[in-house]
Amino acid sequence: MEIFEIIEALILALTALFLIHLFRIYTYLNEFPTPSFTPIIGHVFDYSNPSTLETITKNVIKCGGIMRQYLGPQHPFLVVADKDFLEFTCKNNRYISKGSHYNYIKPWLGEGLVTSNGEKWKQRRRALSTKFSQTSLLQNFLDIFNQKSDILLSVLDKYHNKDVNLQPIMKRFTFDIICETAMGICLNQQSQTTNTEYAASVETLCDIYYNRMSSYLMRYDFFYQRSDEIVREKKALAVIDDILEKILNLKSEVKKSSGENDATTNDFLDLLLNVEIDGKRLNKDDIREEVNTFILAGYDTSSTALSLILYKIAEHPDIQKKLLEEQKEVLKEDFKKLHVSFENLHKMPYLDMVIKETLRMHAIIPMSGRRLEKDGLKYDNINLPSTVNFSIFMHGFHHNPEYFPEPEKFRPERFSSNEKIDKFTYMPFGVKPRQCLGKNFAMLELKSAISKILRTYQLINISEHQLDLKPKLLLYSATGICIKIRKRSKNITKKQEASVNLSTSY
């Protein structure tokens, strides 16, 4: 009988402790409103339903731009889509680090620009910004963009007058670009029917980390270390590390043979080998971190952005017509030449507007996590405790009618020079001081590819195809990103022309 009494007392004690725990977490940060939720489970269903982005956007706007969110019986985090709070975080940036979920990708990225904090981040950012912003480097990269987009057109030619899912094609295209600009290696992924071992390993790691961030159980090391995913992660990391080690050794040998003072920069890896911080060159671990960061940041993001921009152009024939007219006006006698000069790519304001409006409607990184590291900071007379996590909800900012009237309408003109866009409400590349270092790289890559594609193909909307956009770490469409493409008449071969309905206007 005594055993049962002990068990009963133990159950009552644990229940009492659990109820106290629930009371503490449900009164934590209670100065901020929260939508209705299921006890213990919290808002988990809001993040797993088919309309996650719409649900969270609706809730955060209803809560005034900042709301508490619970994922299971643990302390809440804040979802932020409020301009004033964002300005507050930028003003106090020295007390704010990256969110704790970025720790999941540290086995791959180490303490690179995306994951590092404090003085290390500041020094690394300062050194890389100076090097990476050089116009000559971007001009060198444009040659690579042109080479890879020539191959892209040959791939797209196979889909003349057919429906095509852009996602896998653009992934291979941007992967070829990022590997050659990052490491100087040519994988020719676009010309292959299967992924190379390196490409497959990058894809595997992206999949593992995205899934881990969206899984309640896998967030805990106890469960993750006992899952099959840890085996897949180690295998993929071994492949990537081995290839990068070989490339680094080759680069070092070349550098020795050409002289230690040789500062030739053909790719991002060359740039890193020439970087000095406090008079010291980066070591191999430092270089590994930044190369892997560059690949992750520029691979899936660019392919998804490019696919969505082409989709929006196909969806709006009137906008496509205006874009084509701009191409003719800017390029003139060079219109038929596929390659566009660096100077001409900066003379396409309407293309700029279309890209920016697409990235507003579809924020490629819907959320970016942050963590407060200092007690005593006040926002709107509210004391913010240290270690509180909050997510900057880009999609929520971009779809708030207070910041962007009629947010569900695709209106590129809102980014014309006549309309002022607040930097604290529009952030497709993040917000300073942690704005994406590759912003100019990405814009040049997108514009050079879109210019070629526009002048070569008519992009046609498939009325029955609907995007099913979902957030993980990045935005993705569960139904693919599909359009129909048709070569413009000047490029159509006689054989193709016979099978095309020539009544279609080009």
Side-chain angles (χ1 to χ4, degrees), residues 47 52-53 56-57 67 69 77-80 101-102 363-370 390-396 471-475:
Y47 289 82
T52 295
L53 290 173
I56 299 173
T57 299
M67 66 179 180
Q69 294 279 271
F77 63 97
L78 298 176
V79 172
V80 176
H101 66 272
Y102 284 91
I364 307 303
I365 301 178
M367 286 188 178
S368 180
R370 296 289 188 272
F390 60 95
S391 289
I392 301 170
F393 187 32
M394 281 79 156
H395 184 90
K472 285 191 179 178
L473 182 60
L474 301 180
L475 192 68

Side-chain angles (χ1 to χ4, degrees), residues 141-160:
F141 286 164
L142 181 58
D143 291 336
I144 296 173
F145 298 164
N146 280 323
Q147 292 167 18
K148 302 309 174 187
S149 56
D150 285 346
I151 299 172
L152 173 63
L153 294 187
S154 69
V155 173
L156 291 175
D157 276 349
K158 300 171 187 175
Y159 294 91
H160 166 68

Side-chain angles (χ1 to χ4, degrees), residues 264-289:
T264 303
T265 302
N266 298 311
D267 51 57
F268 188 58
L269 186 49
D270 285 331
L271 181 152
L272 291 172
L273 289 169
N274 292 318
V275 164
E276 288 188 2
I277 297 177
D278 292 337
K280 295 180 181 179
R281 293 280 176 94
L282 300 181
N283 60 38
K284 278 191 176 182
D285 286 338
D286 296 331
I287 291 171
R288 173 188 176 276
E289 291 169 353

